[in-house]
């Protein structure tokens, strides 16, 4: 199981702070989340996604492999001032 | 007196507090850029917005305040930054991003990259926000906002003040050459959980 | 000498300082019709009298101070008067325009123009009244600065005086009327070389106008137009010419670091907005002017005249100074000493670069401002390095090297507009009759970014508009008006709404109109109309003088005057080789990534000669002179 921590906009979408979900890659995990919570996969792709405190842009993006115990963070940057 | 010129772009929630803090630190010159006047909806978070200052220019108010708390030279431009007036930033050593939208941020990032200027970025959502140091060659803001759309959110005075304080701290670290640990990193703030995280972008 | 035209006295007086003779000088009505007044009639007088090279600082030189029909009869913006001579800076014809009260007083004293020849044996000043001209001893006043001497001279009236700079023959010394200058070309040195400290004029008369009712009505409309136009009614009174600093920086036109770039990062410390917000006491203006663009600022505790944009540019960004108070101080000191701020600033910036590059060790450095005040004083008194700086950037660069960055044309230094950001302005600098002048050159920056915003880098259309603006401004000055009245030529919407679709379209297509403009210029009868909203001058002149006047005739007067000036210069040796720009402007890119950011002078100049009707060597052809009724 992968721990998914939700912040900002992501937290508002799912209405919860933390979720446990399955997935062998980031793509798979997001698809599972989308299915479970009746969301669109392409909307979930928009967030900043960190795996164990590393941005997936520095890993293999959505093909990044996930292991049991990994922690994913989904963040959305604010834009107000 | 810190021998630098700081441009504060946007004198709304963030800009107001940034201005206050920077004013009290003592910089040689401060450039204020905002075309707006105070309106009623600003009262909940904008430092100098009071019932007395409604419908007056934000930059005029902050210039006046700066004159009372510092010896800084203040230049006041009642403009919104667009592609046509980026030259207003030519005199700045460091640009403090206190804007309320993404597109202007991206315009300024391109300009800063072409002109070797540093941006201190700050932004706030409802109770979350982030701050980061943008060095000229790093496209921090383009990366940060890659898939984000503009969302207007209500926020709080104490939340903007926190982000503003962090922006100023990042500014001071940059000025004191103590910013190695800030390169390519974003400081995420979440007041809901009372957490501050520093993560590589 | 009588004249059938109104608004003139029909009296031109010649004063021989050597013999103390005062005689009448004949000007025919034919010449009045052809040349109007001001700089054009002065050109005629000088052309008739000086046909070959002379030493401008010798007795052989002549000064012509000429008024215009619209002076002292009630038109708006009509204080301007002209002083012409052969320039000690260039060796060529120069005409210098001034808005101080002397011209009005000279006209009220019953004189259209004053010619001064010879050299006084003793230090002299002249007093001109309705009763005649007196020669008075200027010994007690010799050495005084311009503000003090105007107070000290006891004779009633408006004064026109030199300061120490003119007395010491500084090649760019000016003459001061009140707080305004007959700035460029070194006219002050010519006064000094004749032992002439200055002139006082007092009079109580005004000439009649031809059709008082219509003249007055036109003046009311004219004043209203000036008051409601965005440039003359808002920007100039609020910010003065200093309003140009910010747009010049935005458009790469702000000469910085001796014309090495067109932007100055601290432009906003010396902008018109900063001047207004932090230094302005109030605005001010010449007598008769509704625009009131002059600044009043505080220097050494006194309220004095503030700087124009050229002074701000050349003593600000061009020497890398962002201290506004210093500029205000120096501007006042230069007026007081009687120095042309433009040539002075540009000579100093040349000297700074020469120092930086090791051509000449002189202690002047970019951004170093603590020795400038002393330097100005030294220039006026020809002390130390001041004695060398007093010679101007051309002579200095010939002595020490560094000609490629001596920013002058024909010896007269350029104004603060960096022409690699506006190539049409570059053409203007190169061909202007009195040397590197932004106004005599046609002031094309008003099209290329500071009013309209046509493509500043293309040569297309620029030559034709250069000729048209040169002629227009020549005629405007000949009539007696301030050049700022020509700003109202541009429809308000183009200025007030730079981003409207109309303005953007105009900017796009404007340079394509060069051909049409050329046709108009060559066939002035097409323009046998008035455009009273855009150019009230033509109706004003018609109703004031009784002459036939229309837009075409007006432009042709300008064309004639301009060509006559050129002819004087040709007689003194000018040709294509002198219509050049410093190499920096034609060969070095202002912006490394913009291959068009240098002045394509060859192309522009060739087209200019064609439109002017000159031969390839820049000499007006006989055919043209015949058409213009100029006798060779």
């Amino acid at each position: 199981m992968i721990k998914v921590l939700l912040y900002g906009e992501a937290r508002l979408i799912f209405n919860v702070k933390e979720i446990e979900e399955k997935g062998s890659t980031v793509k798979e995990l997001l698809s599972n989340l989308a299915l479970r919570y009746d969301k669109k996969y392409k909307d979930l792709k928009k967030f900043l996604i960190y795996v164990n405190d590393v941005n997936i842009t520095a890993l293999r993006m959505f093909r990044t492999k996930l292991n049991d115990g990994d922690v994913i963070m989904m963040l959305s940057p604010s834009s107000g001032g | 007196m810190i021998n630098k010129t700081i441009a504060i772009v946007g004198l709304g929630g963030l800009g107001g507090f940034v201005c206050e803090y920077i004013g009290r630190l003592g910089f040689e010159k401060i450039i204020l850029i905002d075309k707006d006047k105070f309106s009623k909806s600003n009262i909940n978070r904008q430092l100098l917005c009071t019932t007395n200052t409604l419908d007056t220019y934000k930059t005029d108010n902050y210039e006046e305040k700066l004159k009372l708390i510092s010896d800084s030279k203040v230049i006041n431009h009642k403009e919104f930054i667009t592609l046509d007036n980026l030259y207003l930033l030519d005199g700045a050593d460091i640009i403090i991003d206190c804007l309320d939208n993404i597109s202007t941020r991206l315009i300024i990032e391109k300009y800063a990259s072409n002109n070797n200027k540093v941006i201190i970025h700050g932004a706030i959502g409802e109770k979350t926000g982030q701050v980061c140091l943008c060095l000229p060659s790093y496209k921090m803001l383009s990366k940060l906002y890659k898939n984000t759309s503009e969302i207007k959110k209500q926020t709080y005075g104490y939340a903007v003040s926190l982000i503003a304080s962090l922006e100023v701290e990042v500014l001071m670290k940059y000025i004191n050459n103590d910013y190695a640990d800030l390169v390519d990193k974003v400081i995420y703030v979440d007041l809901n959980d009372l957490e501050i995280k520093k993560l590589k972008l | 000498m009588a004249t059938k035209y109104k608004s003139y006295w029909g009296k031109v007086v010649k004063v021989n300082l050597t013999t103390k003779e005062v005689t009448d000088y004949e000007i025919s009505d034919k010449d009045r019709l052809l040349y109007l007044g001001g700089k054009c009639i002065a050109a005629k007088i000088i052309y008739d009298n000086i046909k070959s090279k002379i030493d401008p600082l010798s007795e052989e030189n002549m000064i012509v101070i000429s008024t215009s029909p619209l002076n002292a009869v009630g038109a708006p913006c009509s204080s301007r008067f002209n002083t012409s001579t052969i320039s000690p800076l260039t060796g060529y014809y120069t005409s210098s325009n001034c808005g101080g009260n002397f011209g009005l007083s000279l006209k009220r004293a019953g004189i259209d123009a004053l010619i001064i020849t010879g050299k006084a044996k003793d230090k002299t000043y002249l007093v001109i009244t309705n009763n005649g001209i007196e020669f008075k001893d200027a010994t007690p006043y010799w050495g005084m600065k311009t503000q003090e001497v105007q107070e000290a001279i006891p004779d009633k009236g408006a004064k026109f005086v030199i300061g120490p700079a003119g007395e010491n023959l500084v090649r760019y010394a000016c003459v001061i009327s009140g707080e305004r200058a007959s700035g460029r070309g070194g006219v002050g040195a010519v006064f000094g070389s004749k032992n002439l400290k200055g002139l006082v004029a007092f009079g109580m008369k005004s000439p009649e106008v031809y059709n008082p009712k219509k003249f007055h009505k036109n003046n009311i409309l004219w004043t209203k137009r000036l008051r409601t136009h965005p440039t003359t009614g808002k920007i100039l009174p609020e910010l003065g010419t200093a309003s140009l600093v910010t747009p010049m920086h935005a458009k790469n036109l702000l000469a910085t670091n001796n014309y090495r770039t067109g932007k100055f990062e601290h432009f906003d410390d010396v902008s018109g907005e900063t001047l207004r917000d932090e230094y302005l006491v109030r605005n001010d203006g010449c007598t008769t002017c509704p625009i009131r663009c002059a600044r009043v600022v505080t220097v050494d505790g006194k309220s004095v005249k503030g700087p124009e944009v050229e002074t701000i540019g050349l003593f600000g960004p061009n020497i890398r100074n962002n201290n506004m108070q210093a500029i205000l101080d120096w501007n006042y000191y230069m007026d007081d000493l009687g120095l042309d701020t433009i040539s002075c600033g540009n000579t100093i910036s040349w000297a700074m670069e020469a120092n930086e590059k090791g051509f000449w060790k002189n202690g002047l450095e970019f951004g170093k401002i603590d020795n400038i005040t002393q330097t100005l004083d030294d220039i006026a008194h020809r002390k130390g390095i001041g004695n060398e700086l007093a010679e101007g950037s051309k002579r200095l660069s010939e002595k020490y090297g560094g000609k490629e960055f001596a920013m002058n044309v024909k010896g007269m230094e350029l104004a603060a507009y960096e022409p690699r950001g506006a190539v049409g302005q570059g053409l203007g600098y190169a061909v202007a009759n009195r040397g590197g002048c932004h106004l005599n050159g046609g002031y094309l920056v008003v099209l290329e970014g500071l009013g309209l915003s046509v493509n500043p880098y293309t040569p297309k259309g620029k030559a034709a508009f250069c000729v048209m603006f040169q002629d227009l401004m020549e005629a405007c000055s000949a009539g007696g008006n301030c050049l700022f009245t020509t700003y109202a030529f541009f429809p308000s919407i183009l200025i007030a709404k730079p981003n409207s679709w109309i303005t953007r379209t105009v900017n796009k297509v404007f340079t394509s109109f060069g051909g049409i403009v050329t046709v108009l210029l060559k066939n002035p009868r097409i323009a046998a109309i008035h455009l009273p909203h855009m150019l009230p001058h033509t109706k004003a002149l018609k109703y004031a003088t009784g002459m036939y006047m229309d837009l075409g005739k007006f432009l042709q007067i300008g064309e004639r005057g301009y060509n006559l000036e050129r002819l004087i210069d040709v007689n003194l040796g000018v040709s294509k080789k002198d219509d050049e720009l410093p190499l920096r402007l034609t060969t070095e890119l202002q912006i490394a990534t913009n291959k068009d950011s240098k002045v394509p002078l060859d192309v522009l100049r060739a087209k200019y000669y064609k439109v002017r009707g000159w031969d390839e060597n820049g000499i007006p052809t006989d055919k043209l002179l015949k058409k213009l009724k100029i006798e060779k």
Side-chain angles (χ1 to χ4, degrees):
Chain A
M1 281 297 238
I2 316 289
K3 200 181 333 195
V4 182
L5 302 176
L6 302 162
Y7 297 92
E9 203 57 32
R11 188 177 292 190
L12 290 174
I13 292 188
F14 290 97
N15 237 322
V16 72
K17 276 193 210 182
E18 209 179 291
I19 299 176
E20 300 255 308
E21 186 51 80
K22 281 204 197 73
S24 57
T25 65
V26 171
K27 177 173 179 186
E28 208 182 275
L29 181 125
L30 290 180
S31 307
N32 291 340
L33 278 178
L35 208 56
R36 189 143 75 114
Y37 288 84
D38 193 30
K39 305 290 169 199
K40 292 206 179 91
Y41 171 70
K42 68 175 171 63
D43 290 335
L44 301 184
K45 278 183 76 176
K46 288 192 189 145
F47 292 104
L48 289 165
I49 300 174
Y50 285 80
V51 177
N52 300 332
D53 285 354
V54 180
N55 196 328
I56 57 172
T57 56
L59 300 167
R60 300 188 70 207
M61 291 298 288
F62 298 97
R63 291 162 293 132
T64 305
K65 285 206 165 61
L66 296 174
N67 301 306
D68 228 26
D70 279 347
V71 177
I72 290 205
M73 281 193 297
M74 289 176 68
L75 305 166
S76 55
S78 310
S79 61
Chain B
M1 259 304 189
I2 305 174
N3 194 328
K4 294 257 179 244
T5 300
I6 308 290
I8 305 176
V9 189
L11 273 309
L14 281 182
F17 284 99
V18 164
C19 190
E20 175 86 17
Y21 302 143
I22 284 187
R24 290 178 191 277
L25 285 169
F27 282 84
E28 190 180 301
K29 183 171 158 187
I30 301 175
I31 303 172
L32 303 174
I33 305 180
D34 196 320
K35 200 170 180 176
D36 249 348
K37 295 181 179 172
F38 284 128
S39 62
K40 248 165 117 179
S41 64
N42 299 151
I43 289 192
N44 72 338
R45 68 195 182 284
Q46 298 198 12
L47 183 61
L48 291 185
C49 182
T50 69
T51 46
N52 287 338
T53 61
L54 289 180
D55 212 45
T56 62
Y57 284 102
K58 295 182 182 183
T59 52
D60 282 341
N61 284 284
Y62 287 105
E63 177 174 357
E64 217 181 291
K65 181 74 184 278
L66 282 172
K67 290 206 169 112
L68 292 171
I69 57 175
S70 72
D71 288 327
S72 309
K73 195 186 292 192
V74 182
I75 306 283
N76 163 352
H77 294 296
K78 297 181 181 59
E79 302 270 357
F80 291 133
I81 290 287
T82 66
L83 284 166
D84 293 326
N85 62 7
L86 287 160
Y87 63 85
L88 295 174
L89 297 168
D90 281 349
D93 297 307
I94 300 157
I95 302 166
I96 317 284
D97 160 15
C98 300
L99 290 158
D100 63 357
N101 68 85
I102 297 174
S103 55
T104 312
R105 284 186 168 101
L106 297 178
I107 291 176
I108 294 186
E109 177 165 76
K110 187 146 188 244
Y111 164 84
S113 156
N114 290 337
N115 291 280
N116 202 35
K117 296 193 191 289
V118 168
I119 302 174
I120 313 285
H121 161 70
I124 182 90
E126 202 181 325
K127 276 196 185 179
T128 62
Q130 73 277 345
V131 168
C132 68
L133 173 67
C134 306
L135 297 172
S137 41
Y138 293 75
K139 293 199 159 53
M140 302 289 286
L141 301 178
S142 316
K143 289 202 295 195
L144 188 66
Y145 288 116
K146 199 157 58 139
N147 295 316
T148 318
S149 38
E150 310 263 11
I151 304 174
K152 293 275 177 227
K153 279 197 160 312
Q154 198 45 264
T155 188
Y156 307 90
Y158 62 90
V160 302
S161 169
L162 178 59
I163 299 295
S165 300
L166 290 169
E167 280 192 279
V168 178
E169 178 56 37
V170 171
L171 168 68
M172 295 314 289
K173 282 193 154 57
Y174 174 73
I175 288 188
N176 293 322
N177 248 316
D178 181 24
Y179 60 91
D181 198 32
L182 294 172
V183 175
D184 205 20
K185 296 208 177 122
V186 178
I187 300 157
Y188 296 98
V189 177
D190 189 327
L191 277 167
N192 293 306
D193 297 343
L194 285 168
E195 267 182 40
I196 299 185
K197 280 191 266 284
K198 187 169 30 162
L199 295 171
K200 212 155 190 291
L201 178 55
Chain C
M1 163 179 48
T3 169
K4 69 173 190 261
Y5 298 120
K6 301 290 178 211
S7 295
Y8 294 94
W9 295 116
K11 189 173 168 80
V12 175
V13 174
K14 180 167 163 187
V15 172
N16 186 324
L17 290 174
T18 318
T19 63
K20 292 202 180 174
E21 275 181 284
V22 177
T23 51
D24 282 336
Y25 186 92
E26 264 306 307
I27 299 276
S28 66
D29 268 354
K30 176 162 160 261
D31 284 338
R32 279 187 194 91
L33 196 57
L34 289 174
Y35 296 103
L36 213 52
K39 67 188 317 212
C40 293
I41 205 81
K44 176 75 169 90
I45 295 171
I46 292 206
Y47 176 70
D48 286 345
N49 286 276
I50 298 180
K51 297 281 194 186
S52 57
K53 267 204 167 96
I54 56 154
D55 175 3
L57 294 174
S58 74
E59 287 183 52
E60 299 178 289
N61 201 356
M62 152 190 276
I63 302 170
V64 179
I65 303 171
S66 48
T67 67
S68 303
L70 290 181
N71 292 139
V73 290
C77 305
S78 59
S79 298
R80 308 293 299 194
F81 68 98
N82 173 74
T83 306
S84 292
T85 189
I86 305 300
S87 161
L89 190 57
T90 64
Y92 302 125
Y93 175 81
T94 194
S95 69
S96 192
N97 200 279
C98 177
N101 283 334
F102 181 77
L104 292 174
S105 291
L106 184 66
K107 184 93 181 264
R108 293 204 183 100
I111 293 182
D112 289 334
L114 184 68
I115 303 171
I116 301 172
T117 61
K119 176 177 175 169
K121 200 171 73 161
D122 307 304
K123 302 189 179 354
T124 302
Y125 71 99
L126 302 179
V127 178
I128 304 140
T129 64
N130 294 120
N131 300 323
I133 298 186
E134 285 177 78
F135 293 75
K136 295 211 169 171
D137 180 24
T139 321
Y141 312 110
W142 202 262
M144 279 188 186
K145 296 187 191 164
T146 62
Q147 300 306 299
E148 189 191 353
V149 68
Q150 288 180 99
E151 299 273 313
I153 288 179
D155 306 87
K156 193 165 66 164
K159 279 98 177 174
F160 193 42
V161 296
I162 58 173
E167 294 171 4
N168 294 310
L169 311 182
V170 176
R171 290 201 186 268
Y172 42 87
C174 67
V175 193
I176 297 281
S177 164
E179 283 186 301
R180 301 205 70 103
S182 230
R184 309 223 60 200
V187 189
V190 179
F191 270 57
S193 73
K194 294 185 181 308
N195 274 332
L196 184 64
K197 180 65 177 171
L199 312 167
V200 183
F202 179 76
M204 305 278 274
K205 310 191 300 188
S206 271
E208 276 176 28
V209 300
Y210 178 73
N211 188 330
K213 212 161 145 208
K214 285 194 170 160
F215 183 60
H216 185 60
K217 192 161 165 234
N218 192 55
N219 290 338
I220 292 180
L221 272 160
W222 196 353
T223 305
K224 181 161 176 236
R225 173 82 179 124
L226 291 170
R227 286 225 163 95
T228 53
H229 190 274
T231 308
T232 53
K234 190 165 189 311
I235 298 172
L236 283 175
E238 259 185 48
L239 299 170
T241 57
S243 58
L244 291 171
V245 173
T246 301
M248 281 164 78
H249 169 90
K251 309 267 172 132
N252 299 298
L253 294 171
L254 192 60
T256 297
N257 208 21
N258 198 35
Y259 295 79
R260 278 182 271 197
T261 63
K263 279 193 191 299
F264 181 53
E265 66 274 23
H266 300 299
F267 76 96
D268 50 14
D269 289 335
V270 295
S271 69
E273 293 81 6
T274 299
L275 177 54
R276 174 199 55 196
D277 293 339
E278 298 179 25
Y279 299 93
L280 191 68
V281 173
R282 57 184 161 78
N283 70 336
D284 199 4
C286 305
T287 309
T288 74
C289 182
I291 302 176
R292 311 196 76 68
C293 69
R295 314 284 85 196
V296 177
V297 296
T298 309
V299 168
D300 298 340
K302 291 185 296 213
S303 285
V304 299
K305 183 179 176 297
E308 306 299 334
V309 63
E310 285 79 16
T311 312
I312 295 176
L314 293 169
F315 279 92
N318 206 40
I319 62 169
R320 297 199 58 79
N321 161 48
N322 66 331
N323 184 326
M324 187 89 206
Q325 186 63 51
I327 298 174
L328 305 181
D329 296 346
W330 298 330
N331 181 60
Y332 178 68
Y333 300 151
M334 283 184 280
D335 282 352
D336 211 12
L337 293 164
L339 287 166
D340 170 22
T341 60
I342 298 180
S343 285
C344 189
N346 223 323
T347 302
I348 288 177
S349 66
W350 174 86
M352 286 175 173
E353 188 167 347
N355 184 58
E356 177 189 305
K357 295 191 160 145
F359 286 90
W360 176 34
K361 283 258 154 282
N362 50 48
L364 295 169
E365 293 169 32
F366 291 100
K368 180 176 155 72
I369 64 175
D370 56 14
N371 57 354
I372 298 291
T373 303
Q374 186 59 52
T375 303
L376 299 177
D377 204 76
D378 288 347
I379 292 173
H381 294 96
R382 285 193 173 266
K383 282 222 290 276
I385 59 160
N387 188 31
E388 303 221 54
L389 293 168
E391 291 294 299
S393 61
K394 177 164 187 246
R395 285 175 173 81
L396 283 173
S397 64
E398 280 164 359
K399 176 173 173 183
Y400 289 106
K403 279 165 80 167
E404 57 289 2
F405 56 86
M407 308 313 277
N408 67 80
V409 176
K410 302 182 177 71
M412 188 155 97
E413 286 76 13
L414 308 184
Y417 308 92
E418 221 280 42
R420 292 175 299 175
V423 304
Q425 185 63 58
L427 169 66
Y429 279 146
V431 300
N433 288 324
R434 67 175 186 173
C437 174
H438 57 296
L439 296 170
N440 195 214
Y443 203 56
L444 241 63
V445 277
V446 76
L447 283 188
E448 294 174 302
L450 300 184
L452 294 183
S453 294
V454 310
N455 182 343
Y457 297 111
T458 180
K460 186 164 153 212
K462 302 296 171 67
F465 281 105
C466 187
V467 172
M468 182 169 116
F469 286 5
Q470 285 175 342
D471 291 351
L472 183 62
M473 297 202 293
E474 189 87 1
C476 177
S477 293
N481 289 112
C482 174
L483 290 178
F484 287 174
T485 54
T486 58
Y487 275 131
F489 191 65
F490 293 98
S492 302
I493 186 170
L494 298 181
I495 308 298
K497 293 194 197 288
N499 289 315
S500 75
W501 68 268
I502 297 178
T503 313
R504 279 187 282 121
T505 310
V506 168
N507 283 332
K508 266 216 190 86
V509 304
F510 211 76
T511 49
S512 308
F513 291 152
I516 300 177
V517 169
T518 307
V519 169
L520 166 66
L521 291 170
K522 292 197 190 289
N523 297 286
R525 264 178 247 182
I526 296 176
I529 53 166
H530 293 274
L531 293 171
H533 201 55
M534 290 163 83
L535 212 63
H537 310 60
T538 52
K539 275 207 168 149
L541 286 164
K542 177 172 139 170
Y543 298 139
T545 63
M547 285 174 181
Y548 177 79
M549 187 60 65
D550 59 43
L551 178 60
K553 272 256 171 305
F554 188 66
L555 279 171
Q556 205 178 36
I557 288 172
E559 182 189 7
R560 184 176 298 114
Y562 196 91
N563 274 283
L564 191 54
E565 292 173 0
R566 179 70 173 185
L567 207 55
I568 298 172
D569 282 353
V570 164
N571 286 345
L572 299 174
V574 156
S575 68
K576 178 174 160 192
K577 62 176 173 13
D578 305 292
D579 295 338
E580 276 293 346
L581 287 172
L583 281 178
R584 169 166 292 165
L585 303 176
T586 50
T587 58
E588 286 174 35
L589 296 176
Q590 192 206 69
I591 300 167
T593 51
N594 182 345
K595 62 172 175 49
D596 295 323
S597 63
K598 58 183 176 175
V599 183
L601 184 59
D602 290 334
V603 166
L604 287 162
R605 182 182 47 211
K607 193 69 206 277
Y608 176 84
Y609 287 169
K610 264 220 179 86
V611 178
R612 270 277 170 223
W614 297 350
D615 67 25
E616 305 98 48
N617 204 20
I619 317 286
T621 59
D622 286 346
K623 183 169 157 210
L624 174 66
L625 296 177
K626 194 156 168 225
K627 176 179 164 209
L628 293 174
K629 302 203 178 93
I630 297 176
E631 284 152 30
K632 259 203 123 162

